[in-house]
């Protein structure tokens, strides 16, 4: 229903706004929620069908990384609300296939939510993330629900509504229970650190940082589940979040150091958006620390990518740079693209 409404641009969904209280429903036990689907006898599903869903999700994600959330969002919603919804109503070969099918659907709903968030539609994004959580719970895939709780916590901090974010981040760590391995668990712990920092609990933030610190490195040391490695193929995310945590704590030197490291880790070809965002923030911190030449050099390399990606977040980054160094915008916008 959510995906169909998104595709059809129904007015109630267009008017959706982010609600901190709605995020808190993620803390409600699944046993208190109605089942998502009714399985019928119209089809018989095996792992090939599940792998097909995963392959299409991967393709959508690759496009998202270089084009932004504003491109292809309704195509993702259409796929989720038609083919994938039908798949979940089918007969499954066994419980393993059923688990994998719901896990794959959760991955796709997560992507739909992230695309909406990146496009600035946070009310819609929140509803997709909650759908992803229920699908992950239904899959009973160990730790996937924790991964979705993490993004719900991060969304609140990203848009300045972090009231429930620490509780969501803590719940993610609890549900994981260390089962995801050191690198993936560090992502959850770093979310706890950032959420506490953003809400002014510096003691809680520093305690979580100390736990995660051994893993804030350039190299992966453990295997990650598919639904983590899709988004975090390297250590760039945990390093980015460390930078944001230190920035919230007022430690500009460490924030600058980790943003610079994240910019080095991300591949600007395969992950243009996140590389450009990290580069933009690195430049802003260089500027704040009176390293103006370094800031300008960093921004000159990032501006073409920031202009090319259809993303509310890149637009915000461009506005920040323009306020700081407007002279850079005289000759960096591609032909036909107005300077911001």
């Amino acid at each position: 229903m959510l995906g169909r409404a998104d595709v059809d641009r129904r007015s109630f969904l267009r008017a959706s706004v982010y609600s901190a209280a709605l995020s808190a429903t993620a803390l409600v036990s699944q046993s208190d929620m109605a089942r998502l689907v009714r399985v019928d006898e119209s089809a018989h599903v095996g792992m090939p069908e599940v792998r097909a869903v995963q392959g299409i999700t991967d393709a959508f994600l690759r496009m998202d990384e270089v084009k932004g959330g504003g491109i292809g969002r309704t195509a993702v919603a259409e796929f989720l609300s038609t083919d994938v919804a039908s798949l979940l109503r089918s007969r499954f070969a066994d419980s393993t296939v059923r688990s994998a099918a719901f896990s794959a659907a959760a991955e796709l709903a997560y992507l739909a939510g992230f695309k909406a968030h990146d496009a600035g539609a946070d009310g819609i994004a929140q509803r997709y993330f909650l759908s992803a959580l229920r699908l992950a719970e239904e899959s009973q895939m160990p730790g996937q629900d924790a991964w979705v709780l993490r993004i719900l916590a991060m969304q609140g901090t990203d848009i300045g509504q972090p009231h429930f974010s620490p509780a969501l981040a803590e719940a993610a760590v609890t549900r994981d229970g260390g089962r995801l391995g050191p690198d993936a668990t560090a992502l959850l712990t770093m979310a706890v650190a950032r959420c506490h920092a953003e809400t002014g609990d510096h003691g809680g933030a520093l305690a979580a940082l100390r736990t995660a610190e051994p893993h804030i490195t350039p190299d992966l040391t453990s295997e990650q589940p598919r639904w983590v490695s899709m988004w975090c193929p390297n250590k760039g995310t945990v390093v980015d979040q460390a930078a944001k945590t230190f920035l919230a704590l007022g430690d500009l030197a460490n924030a600058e150091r980790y943003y610079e490291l994240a910019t080095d880790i991300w591949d600007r070809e395969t992950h243009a958006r996140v590389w450009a965002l990290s580069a933009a923030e690195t430049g802003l911190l260089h500027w704040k620390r009176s390293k103006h030449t370094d800031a300008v050099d960093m921004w000159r390399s990032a501006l073409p990518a920031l202009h090319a990606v259809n993303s509310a977040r890149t637009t915000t980054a461009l506005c920040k740079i323009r306020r700081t160094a407007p002279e850079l915008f005289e000759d960096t916008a591609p032909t036909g693209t107005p300077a911001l």
Side-chain angles (χ1 to χ4, degrees), residues 60-72:
F60 278 132
L61 178 57
R62 285 193 297 271
M63 179 174 68
D64 181 73
E65 295 287 4
V66 297
K67 295 296 184 181
I71 301 296

Side-chain angles (χ1 to χ4, degrees), residues 61-143:
L61 178 57
R62 285 193 297 271
M63 179 174 68
D64 181 73
E65 295 287 4
V66 297
K67 295 296 184 181
I71 301 296
R73 188 167 71 82
T74 54
V76 173
E78 180 79 30
F79 183 49
L80 181 63
S81 63
T82 54
D83 299 273
V84 175
S86 296
L87 178 80
L88 298 183
R89 290 192 292 267
S90 303
R91 297 177 63 192
F92 300 103
D94 53 40
S95 60
T96 299
V97 173
R98 184 183 188 280
S99 177
F102 275 86
S103 176
E107 292 173 359
L108 185 64
Y110 185 110
L111 172 59
F114 195 87
K115 288 184 74 64
H117 167 65
D118 191 54
D122 279 293
I124 300 172
Q126 182 183 36
R127 287 155 177 78
Y128 275 123
F129 288 145
L130 288 166
S131 294
L133 176 64
R134 300 310 175 197
L135 289 163
E137 291 171 335
E138 188 74 20
S139 79
Q140 298 184 2
M141 194 68 70

Side-chain angles (χ1 to χ4, degrees), residues 277-288:
L277 289 170
S278 295
E281 292 298 331
T282 302
L284 287 167
L285 282 162
H286 284 334
W287 191 276
K288 287 179 181 179

Side-chain angles (χ1 to χ4, degrees), residues 55-254:
I56 294 170
T57 301
D58 290 343
F60 278 132
L61 178 57
R62 285 193 297 271
M63 179 174 68
D64 181 73
E65 295 287 4
V66 297
K67 295 296 184 181
I71 301 296
R73 188 167 71 82
T74 54
V76 173
E78 180 79 30
F79 183 49
L80 181 63
S81 63
T82 54
D83 299 273
V84 175
S86 296
L87 178 80
L88 298 183
R89 290 192 292 267
S90 303
R91 297 177 63 192
F92 300 103
D94 53 40
S95 60
T96 299
V97 173
R98 184 183 188 280
S99 177
F102 275 86
S103 176
E107 292 173 359
L108 185 64
Y110 185 110
L111 172 59
F114 195 87
K115 288 184 74 64
H117 167 65
D118 191 54
D122 279 293
I124 300 172
Q126 182 183 36
R127 287 155 177 78
Y128 275 123
F129 288 145
L130 288 166
S131 294
L133 176 64
R134 300 310 175 197
L135 289 163
E137 291 171 335
E138 188 74 20
S139 79
Q140 298 184 2
M141 194 68 70
Q144 191 172 12
D145 56 345
W147 178 244
V148 185
L149 283 168
R150 173 194 172 275
I151 197 64
L152 281 162
M154 292 289 90
Q155 185 192 15
T157 61
D158 285 343
I159 65 173
Q161 296 200 45
H163 182 72
F164 290 102
S165 292
L168 289 163
E170 295 279 6
V173 172
T174 299
R175 290 203 195 186
D176 166 34
R179 294 174 297 177
L180 298 182
D183 289 322
T185 297
L187 286 161
L188 303 182
T189 306
M190 186 53 64
V192 173
R194 184 177 168 210
C195 290
H196 282 305
E198 296 283 0
T199 53
D201 179 4
H202 289 197
L206 291 171
L209 270 171
R210 283 192 292 271
T211 300
E213 189 173 18
H215 306 286
I216 310 175
T217 61
D219 301 312
L220 288 168
T221 61
S222 58
E223 186 177 356
Q224 301 185 124
R226 167 188 154 81
W227 26 269
V228 175
S229 61
M230 288 169 62
W231 295 91
C232 306
N234 52 43
K235 296 296 282 291
T237 298
V238 75
V239 174
D240 263 327
Q241 291 301 322
K244 291 178 182 180
T245 301
F246 280 114
L247 187 60
L249 292 171
D251 185 342
L252 298 188
N254 271 317

